[in-house]
Amino acid sequence: MARHTEPEQAPTPARRPELDAIRMLVVIGLVFFHSALVFAADDDFYVKNAETSGAVVIIAGFGVVWAMPLLFLISGLGAWHSLQRRGAGGFARERLLRLGVPLVFATLALNPLPQWLRLRSADADHHESYLGFLPRFYDVHLEPEEFPFLVRGEHFETGHLWFVVLLLTFSLLLVPMHRWLPRERVRRIGDRVARATLRRRGLVLLPALAFAGICAFAGLEEEYAGWHRWSYLLFFVAGFTLAADDRFRTVTRRDAGTAAWLGAALFVAAGPGFALADEPFTETTPLATASRALFGAAGWCLVVAIPGLLDRRRSKPPHAARTPTPTRRRRLYGYLAAAVLPLYVLHQPIVVAVAYFVTGWSAPILVEYAALVAIALSLTLATYEILVRRTRATRFLFGMRP
């Protein structure tokens, strides 16, 4: 029997290697972001400088609104391709190895350090040894109501690995969906949506209303980079959906400019409410609620705009003299793609450890910040290059392929 094909179905989109560069830039940017929190007046970071500034949170806010959401959207794009290649069972096994193993390893081996340094930084008379602190870190209990962050404790935390926890959870939720959802009906719905967004400019920005709603009424969570944890599921599902039909890629390229201007305007409009409200993340006052709604809508617009604008640039014919050879480019993208997760896992413990010493200097904030970023970034890259990527055992522990 001949295989039935739908004539209007767009071809399967190829992998977009420039997205690996975006992921790397976001992860490297987290070194700058978390280093800045050391000097932020309104943030409870592990190590705090004696001199702080309220301007740090305002400047960092523009990164918060799009950076982590963009990582989840790109992860959703990659999940679609991986699920098509491996099937449900193979996809689940691959996610458990590449996300679950580094999550468990880093939580147990790396995350105690920032918590120990938090105690020492807050109290000059705290002299408990690191080994003495470890049993207190591992003293945990289960809290099902905090799903998917089930394991809790007075000192225990997944810390910056909340991203890995959520990404693993979202990925595993795809497995039963892939097996049980009526694929033909889903395909027809996707085809209608793709046609509609292709015909009508700006329709791809309509999900901004959903993000506005969840941010306004579910609130924001500071410990998860400012967004509510389930907002990230929407970004992940959006990426998964966009990957399924190449017409969505055409739409995001076309509407990227509008999305960028609208996203920037919405973010600016949200600013006064966050500045004036006492608890802007959770207050139910009209001002705080409206500001969170504007923040959520801005996030979706910017997440559409950034890949779309970069894809526009990539689709233009480059000048041969300025472009690396295809082989060099593939090697660069391959290196970036492999390095993203290990660098993410490594960066925060290193930032906190360096900050513990840098904050003892008698120097202006800008000098201390520049030194912290330079040292922490160099150590993170060196640790990855020398201690992680060169052996099979460490590659396995950090979620890399052999």
Side-chain angles (χ1 to χ4, degrees), residues 230-269:
W230 296 112
S231 297
Y232 292 122
L233 176 59
L234 297 185
F235 284 111
F236 180 80
V237 171
F240 187 84
T241 303
L242 293 175
D245 195 312
D246 207 41
R247 286 172 289 185
F248 289 123
R249 182 177 176 182
T250 301
V251 169
T252 56
R253 281 201 302 260
R254 182 195 66 195
D255 294 345
T258 301
W261 285 108
L262 182 59
L266 290 170
F267 177 77
V268 171

Side-chain angles (χ1 to χ4, degrees), residues 308-309 401:
L309 290 173
R401 293 186 175 89

Side-chain angles (χ1 to χ4, degrees), residues 64-134:
V64 167
V65 75
W66 61 265
M68 297 308 295
L70 188 52
L71 281 188
F72 279 103
L73 183 124
I74 294 174
S75 297
L77 288 165
W80 188 90
H81 294 290
S82 181
L83 194 56
Q84 304 313 306
R85 290 196 308 270
R86 296 182 172 89
F91 175 75
R93 287 190 296 273
E94 190 264 351
R95 293 291 87 184
L96 286 169
L97 287 175
R98 296 204 62 204
L99 296 175
V101 170
L103 172 62
V104 173
F105 169 73
T107 299
L108 298 178
L110 301 181
N111 279 7
L113 179 63
Q115 285 290 68
W116 179 64
L117 292 176
R118 181 199 293 273
L119 296 175
R120 293 180 66 88
S121 177
D123 183 2
D125 295 325
H126 183 88
H127 300 299
E128 182 182 31
S129 70
Y130 184 66
L131 292 179
F133 168 74
L134 287 179

Side-chain angles (χ1 to χ4, degrees), residues 90-314:
F91 175 75
R93 287 190 296 273
E94 190 264 351
R95 293 291 87 184
L96 286 169
L97 287 175
R98 296 204 62 204
L99 296 175
V101 170
L103 172 62
V104 173
F105 169 73
T107 299
L108 298 178
L110 301 181
N111 279 7
L113 179 63
Q115 285 290 68
W116 179 64
L117 292 176
R118 181 199 293 273
L119 296 175
R120 293 180 66 88
S121 177
D123 183 2
D125 295 325
H126 183 88
H127 300 299
E128 182 182 31
S129 70
Y130 184 66
L131 292 179
F133 168 74
L134 287 179
R136 292 207 289 153
F137 180 84
Y138 299 138
D139 183 13
V140 299
H141 59 274
L142 296 179
E143 292 187 15
E145 65 274 14
E146 291 296 327
F147 180 83
F149 302 96
L150 300 175
V151 182
R152 315 288 283 191
E154 181 182 0
H155 299 287
F156 176 88
E157 66 165 10
T158 52
H160 67 298
L161 299 178
W162 63 264
F163 168 74
V164 185
V165 174
L166 289 179
L167 184 55
L168 178 59
T169 302
F170 299 161
S171 298
L172 295 180
L173 287 175
L174 286 178
V175 174
M177 290 175 57
H178 181 75
R179 286 179 169 173
W180 298 333
L181 283 180
R183 298 183 191 178
E184 192 63 31
R185 182 180 300 176
V186 171
R187 189 178 295 113
R188 287 199 298 268
I189 293 173
D191 179 66
R192 293 194 193 104
V193 173
R195 286 192 212 172
T197 55
L198 198 60
R199 286 199 306 264
R200 299 183 181 179
R201 295 186 65 92
L203 198 60
V204 71
L205 302 181
L206 193 60
L209 297 177
F211 289 99
I214 194 171
C215 290
F217 300 110
L220 303 177
E221 297 182 293
E222 185 176 356
E223 58 268 43
Y224 307 126
W227 287 83
H228 191 280
R229 68 190 75 178
W230 296 112
S231 297
Y232 292 122
L233 176 59
L234 297 185
F235 284 111
F236 180 80
V237 171
F240 187 84
T241 303
L242 293 175
D245 195 312
D246 207 41
R247 286 172 289 185
F248 289 123
R249 182 177 176 182
T250 301
V251 169
T252 56
R253 281 201 302 260
R254 182 195 66 195
D255 294 345
T258 301
W261 285 108
L262 182 59
L266 290 170
F267 177 77
V268 171
F274 280 93
L276 296 174
D278 293 329
E279 297 290 342
F281 281 25
T282 55
E283 272 186 19
T284 57
T285 61
L287 177 63
T289 302
S291 297
R292 290 196 300 270
L294 292 169
F295 176 89
W300 173 251
C301 292
L302 293 171
V303 163
V304 169
I306 293 169
L309 290 173
L310 292 175
D311 199 22
R312 280 185 186 179
R313 181 178 179 86
R314 183 172 178 266

Side-chain angles (χ1 to χ4, degrees), residues 20 56 67-68 88 107 113 163 176 244 305 310 352 366 377 396:
D20 293 324
V56 172
M68 297 308 295
T107 299
L113 179 63
F163 168 74
L310 292 175
V352 175
L366 289 178
L377 183 57
F396 173 76

